[in-house]
Short mmCIF file of all heavy atoms in Angstrom, two decimals:
data_model
loop_
_atom_site.label_atom_id
_atom_site.label_comp_id
_atom_site.label_asym_id
_atom_site.label_seq_id
_atom_site.Cartn_x
_atom_site.Cartn_y
_atom_site.Cartn_z
N ALA F 429 125.14 43.84 162.37
CA ALA F 429 124.82 42.78 161.41
C ALA F 429 124.76 43.33 159.99
O ALA F 429 125.28 42.71 159.06
CB ALA F 429 123.48 42.14 161.78
N VAL F 430 124.17 44.50 159.81
CA VAL F 430 124.09 45.10 158.48
C VAL F 430 125.48 45.45 157.98
O VAL F 430 125.81 45.20 156.81
CB VAL F 430 123.17 46.35 158.50
CG1 VAL F 430 123.30 47.14 157.22
CG2 VAL F 430 121.73 45.93 158.73
N LEU F 431 126.32 46.01 158.84
CA LEU F 431 127.68 46.35 158.43
C LEU F 431 128.49 45.11 158.11
O LEU F 431 129.29 45.10 157.16
CB LEU F 431 128.37 47.17 159.51
CG LEU F 431 127.88 48.60 159.65
CD1 LEU F 431 128.56 49.29 160.83
CD2 LEU F 431 128.13 49.38 158.38
N ALA F 432 128.29 44.04 158.86
CA ALA F 432 129.02 42.81 158.59
C ALA F 432 128.62 42.22 157.24
O ALA F 432 129.48 41.75 156.47
CB ALA F 432 128.76 41.79 159.70
N VAL F 433 127.35 42.26 156.92
CA VAL F 433 126.88 41.76 155.62
C VAL F 433 127.42 42.63 154.49
O VAL F 433 127.86 42.12 153.46
CB VAL F 433 125.34 41.69 155.59
CG1 VAL F 433 124.83 41.42 154.18
CG2 VAL F 433 124.84 40.63 156.54
N ALA F 434 127.42 43.95 154.70
CA ALA F 434 127.93 44.85 153.67
C ALA F 434 129.41 44.64 153.43
O ALA F 434 129.88 44.63 152.29
CB ALA F 434 127.66 46.30 154.07
N LEU F 435 130.17 44.44 154.48
CA LEU F 435 131.60 44.20 154.33
C LEU F 435 131.88 42.83 153.72
O LEU F 435 132.83 42.67 152.95
CB LEU F 435 132.31 44.33 155.67
CG LEU F 435 132.39 45.76 156.22
CD1 LEU F 435 133.00 45.74 157.62
CD2 LEU F 435 133.19 46.64 155.31
N ALA F 436 131.07 41.85 154.04
CA ALA F 436 131.25 40.52 153.47
C ALA F 436 130.90 40.51 151.98
O ALA F 436 131.44 39.69 151.22
CB ALA F 436 130.39 39.51 154.22
N ALA F 437 130.04 41.41 151.56
CA ALA F 437 129.65 41.46 150.15
C ALA F 437 130.78 41.96 149.26
O ALA F 437 130.79 41.70 148.06
CB ALA F 437 128.43 42.35 149.99
N MET F 438 131.72 42.67 149.84
CA MET F 438 132.88 43.14 149.07
C MET F 438 133.87 41.99 148.93
O MET F 438 134.52 41.60 149.89
CB MET F 438 133.54 44.31 149.78
CG MET F 438 132.75 45.56 149.75
SD MET F 438 133.72 46.85 150.44
CE MET F 438 132.62 47.45 151.68
N SER F 439 133.97 41.45 147.74
CA SER F 439 134.80 40.27 147.56
C SER F 439 136.26 40.60 147.31
O SER F 439 137.13 39.80 147.58
CB SER F 439 134.26 39.42 146.41
OG SER F 439 134.30 40.18 145.22
N VAL F 440 136.55 41.77 146.80
CA VAL F 440 137.92 42.15 146.48
C VAL F 440 138.45 43.02 147.61
O VAL F 440 137.82 43.99 147.99
CB VAL F 440 137.98 42.92 145.14
CG1 VAL F 440 139.40 43.31 144.81
CG2 VAL F 440 137.38 42.08 144.04
N ALA F 441 139.62 42.69 148.13
CA ALA F 441 140.18 43.43 149.25
C ALA F 441 140.53 44.86 148.87
O ALA F 441 140.45 45.77 149.68
CB ALA F 441 141.41 42.72 149.78
N ALA F 442 140.91 45.10 147.62
CA ALA F 442 141.29 46.44 147.21
C ALA F 442 140.11 47.39 147.19
O ALA F 442 140.28 48.60 147.33
CB ALA F 442 141.93 46.38 145.83
N SER F 443 138.90 46.89 147.04
CA SER F 443 137.74 47.78 147.00
C SER F 443 137.39 48.32 148.38
O SER F 443 136.59 49.24 148.48
CB SER F 443 136.54 47.06 146.41
OG SER F 443 136.09 46.06 147.28
N ALA F 444 137.96 47.77 149.43
CA ALA F 444 137.66 48.24 150.77
C ALA F 444 138.54 49.42 151.17
O ALA F 444 138.35 49.99 152.23
CB ALA F 444 137.84 47.10 151.77
N LYS F 445 139.51 49.77 150.31
CA LYS F 445 140.42 50.85 150.65
C LYS F 445 139.62 52.15 150.74
O LYS F 445 138.99 52.58 149.79
CB LYS F 445 141.51 50.97 149.60
CG LYS F 445 142.62 51.89 149.99
CD LYS F 445 143.76 51.77 149.02
CE LYS F 445 144.95 52.53 149.55
NZ LYS F 445 146.09 52.36 148.66
N GLY F 446 139.65 52.78 151.89
CA GLY F 446 138.91 54.01 152.12
C GLY F 446 137.52 53.78 152.67
O GLY F 446 136.95 54.65 153.31
N CYS F 447 136.97 52.62 152.43
CA CYS F 447 135.60 52.34 152.85
C CYS F 447 135.49 52.16 154.37
O CYS F 447 134.57 52.68 154.98
CB CYS F 447 135.08 51.09 152.15
SG CYS F 447 133.40 50.67 152.58
N ILE F 448 136.43 51.46 154.95
CA ILE F 448 136.35 51.16 156.39
C ILE F 448 136.42 52.45 157.20
O ILE F 448 135.60 52.68 158.09
CB ILE F 448 137.47 50.19 156.79
CG1 ILE F 448 137.43 48.92 155.95
CG2 ILE F 448 137.41 49.88 158.27
CD1 ILE F 448 136.16 48.12 156.09
N LYS F 449 137.42 53.27 156.90
CA LYS F 449 137.56 54.53 157.64
C LYS F 449 136.35 55.42 157.43
O LYS F 449 135.84 56.03 158.38
CB LYS F 449 138.83 55.25 157.19
CG LYS F 449 139.15 56.47 158.05
CD LYS F 449 140.30 57.29 157.48
CE LYS F 449 141.57 56.51 157.37
NZ LYS F 449 142.70 57.33 156.89
N GLY F 450 135.87 55.50 156.19
CA GLY F 450 134.70 56.32 155.89
C GLY F 450 133.45 55.81 156.59
O GLY F 450 132.63 56.59 157.07
N ALA F 451 133.31 54.49 156.67
CA ALA F 451 132.15 53.91 157.33
C ALA F 451 132.17 54.19 158.83
O ALA F 451 131.12 54.46 159.44
CB ALA F 451 132.09 52.41 157.07
N ILE F 452 133.34 54.15 159.43
CA ILE F 452 133.44 54.42 160.86
C ILE F 452 133.08 55.87 161.14
O ILE F 452 132.28 56.17 162.04
CB ILE F 452 134.85 54.08 161.38
CG1 ILE F 452 135.06 52.57 161.34
CG2 ILE F 452 135.07 54.62 162.78
CD1 ILE F 452 136.48 52.14 161.60
N VAL F 453 133.66 56.79 160.39
CA VAL F 453 133.39 58.21 160.59
C VAL F 453 131.94 58.52 160.25
O VAL F 453 131.25 59.23 161.00
CB VAL F 453 134.36 59.07 159.75
CG1 VAL F 453 133.97 60.53 159.79
CG2 VAL F 453 135.78 58.88 160.23
N GLY F 454 131.44 57.99 159.14
CA GLY F 454 130.05 58.24 158.74
C GLY F 454 129.05 57.65 159.71
O GLY F 454 128.01 58.24 159.99
N GLY F 455 129.36 56.47 160.24
CA GLY F 455 128.47 55.85 161.21
C GLY F 455 128.39 56.64 162.50
O GLY F 455 127.31 56.79 163.09
N ALA F 456 129.52 57.16 162.95
CA ALA F 456 129.52 57.98 164.16
C ALA F 456 128.76 59.28 163.93
O ALA F 456 127.96 59.70 164.78
CB ALA F 456 130.96 58.27 164.59
N ALA F 457 129.00 59.91 162.78
CA ALA F 457 128.29 61.16 162.47
C ALA F 457 126.79 60.90 162.32
O ALA F 457 125.97 61.68 162.80
CB ALA F 457 128.85 61.77 161.20
N GLY F 458 126.43 59.81 161.66
CA GLY F 458 125.03 59.47 161.49
C GLY F 458 124.34 59.14 162.81
O GLY F 458 123.16 59.44 163.00
N HIS F 459 125.08 58.54 163.72
CA HIS F 459 124.52 58.21 165.03
C HIS F 459 124.13 59.49 165.78
O HIS F 459 123.07 59.55 166.40
CB HIS F 459 125.53 57.41 165.85
CG HIS F 459 125.11 57.23 167.27
ND1 HIS F 459 124.09 56.40 167.64
CD2 HIS F 459 125.59 57.79 168.41
CE1 HIS F 459 123.95 56.45 168.97
NE2 HIS F 459 124.85 57.29 169.45
N TYR F 460 124.98 60.49 165.70
CA TYR F 460 124.69 61.74 166.39
C TYR F 460 123.68 62.59 165.64
O TYR F 460 123.12 63.52 166.20
CB TYR F 460 125.98 62.52 166.64
CG TYR F 460 126.80 61.88 167.73
CD1 TYR F 460 127.99 61.25 167.43
CD2 TYR F 460 126.37 61.88 169.05
CE1 TYR F 460 128.74 60.64 168.42
CE2 TYR F 460 127.10 61.27 170.03
CZ TYR F 460 128.29 60.66 169.72
OH TYR F 460 129.02 60.05 170.70
N ALA F 461 123.44 62.30 164.37
CA ALA F 461 122.44 63.02 163.59
C ALA F 461 121.14 62.23 163.60
O ALA F 461 120.75 61.60 162.62
CB ALA F 461 122.93 63.25 162.17
N HIS F 462 120.48 62.21 164.71
CA HIS F 462 119.17 61.58 164.89
C HIS F 462 119.18 60.07 164.64
O HIS F 462 118.29 59.53 163.99
CB HIS F 462 118.13 62.25 163.99
CG HIS F 462 118.03 63.72 164.23
ND1 HIS F 462 117.47 64.24 165.37
CD2 HIS F 462 118.45 64.78 163.50
CE1 HIS F 462 117.54 65.55 165.32
NE2 HIS F 462 118.13 65.90 164.19
N HIS F 463 120.20 59.40 165.10
CA HIS F 463 120.29 57.93 165.09
C HIS F 463 120.18 57.31 163.70
O HIS F 463 119.45 56.35 163.48
CB HIS F 463 119.23 57.33 166.01
CG HIS F 463 119.35 57.83 167.42
ND1 HIS F 463 120.36 57.42 168.24
CD2 HIS F 463 118.61 58.70 168.13
CE1 HIS F 463 120.23 58.02 169.42
NE2 HIS F 463 119.18 58.81 169.37
N HIS F 464 120.92 57.86 162.74
CA HIS F 464 120.98 57.31 161.39
C HIS F 464 122.37 56.74 161.14
O HIS F 464 123.03 57.08 160.16
CB HIS F 464 120.65 58.38 160.34
CG HIS F 464 119.25 58.87 160.40
ND1 HIS F 464 118.17 58.05 160.13
CD2 HIS F 464 118.73 60.08 160.70
CE1 HIS F 464 117.06 58.74 160.26
NE2 HIS F 464 117.37 59.97 160.62
N GLY F 465 122.82 55.86 162.03
CA GLY F 465 124.17 55.32 161.95
C GLY F 465 124.41 54.46 160.72
O GLY F 465 125.47 54.54 160.10
N VAL F 466 123.45 53.63 160.36
CA VAL F 466 123.63 52.74 159.21
C VAL F 466 123.68 53.55 157.92
O VAL F 466 124.52 53.31 157.05
CB VAL F 466 122.49 51.70 159.16
CG1 VAL F 466 122.60 50.84 157.91
CG2 VAL F 466 122.50 50.82 160.39
N LEU F 467 122.80 54.52 157.81
CA LEU F 467 122.80 55.39 156.63
C LEU F 467 124.10 56.18 156.55
O LEU F 467 124.69 56.31 155.48
CB LEU F 467 121.60 56.33 156.68
CG LEU F 467 121.40 57.25 155.48
CD1 LEU F 467 121.16 56.42 154.23
CD2 LEU F 467 120.23 58.17 155.73
N GLY F 468 124.58 56.67 157.68
CA GLY F 468 125.85 57.40 157.71
C GLY F 468 127.02 56.51 157.36
O GLY F 468 127.95 56.93 156.68
N ALA F 469 127.00 55.26 157.83
CA ALA F 469 128.08 54.33 157.51
C ALA F 469 128.10 54.00 156.02
O ALA F 469 129.17 53.93 155.41
CB ALA F 469 127.92 53.05 158.33
N ALA F 470 126.94 53.82 155.43
CA ALA F 470 126.89 53.53 154.00
C ALA F 470 127.39 54.72 153.18
O ALA F 470 128.18 54.56 152.25
CB ALA F 470 125.46 53.18 153.59
N ALA F 471 126.94 55.91 153.54
CA ALA F 471 127.40 57.11 152.83
C ALA F 471 128.88 57.34 153.06
O ALA F 471 129.61 57.71 152.13
CB ALA F 471 126.60 58.32 153.29
N GLY F 472 129.35 57.10 154.27
CA GLY F 472 130.77 57.26 154.57
C GLY F 472 131.64 56.30 153.79
O GLY F 472 132.74 56.64 153.35
N CYS F 473 131.14 55.10 153.59
CA CYS F 473 131.87 54.11 152.80
C CYS F 473 132.01 54.57 151.35
O CYS F 473 133.09 54.49 150.77
CB CYS F 473 131.16 52.76 152.86
SG CYS F 473 131.94 51.48 151.88
N VAL F 474 130.93 55.07 150.79
CA VAL F 474 130.96 55.54 149.39
C VAL F 474 131.90 56.73 149.25
O VAL F 474 132.72 56.79 148.34
CB VAL F 474 129.53 55.90 148.92
CG1 VAL F 474 129.56 56.61 147.59
CG2 VAL F 474 128.67 54.66 148.86
N ILE F 475 131.80 57.68 150.18
CA ILE F 475 132.65 58.87 150.11
C ILE F 475 134.11 58.51 150.35
O ILE F 475 135.00 59.02 149.66
CB ILE F 475 132.15 59.93 151.11
CG1 ILE F 475 130.79 60.44 150.67
CG2 ILE F 475 133.15 61.08 151.23
CD1 ILE F 475 130.08 61.28 151.70
N GLY F 476 134.37 57.63 151.31
CA GLY F 476 135.75 57.20 151.57
C GLY F 476 136.35 56.49 150.38
O GLY F 476 137.53 56.68 150.05
#
């Protein structure tokens, strides 16, 4: 739900370039780092 709201908040399609892949990788890494998947997804989106 948090990821869906964050993605819906991005109104321009071009701003999502790199964000989706980064969020997936960051969310997976955050999940394995003591269950911080949402924080990892947010950081992954910014870095991507």
Side-chain angles (χ1 to χ4, degrees):
V430 168
L431 288 175
V433 169
L435 290 175
M438 290 186 233
S439 61
V440 180
S443 68
K445 191 171 189 176
C447 181
I448 304 299
K449 188 188 300 183
I452 291 170
V453 172
H459 171 72
Y460 287 110
H462 303 289
H463 302 287
H464 294 295
V466 175
L467 184 62
C473 178
V474 170
I475 293 168

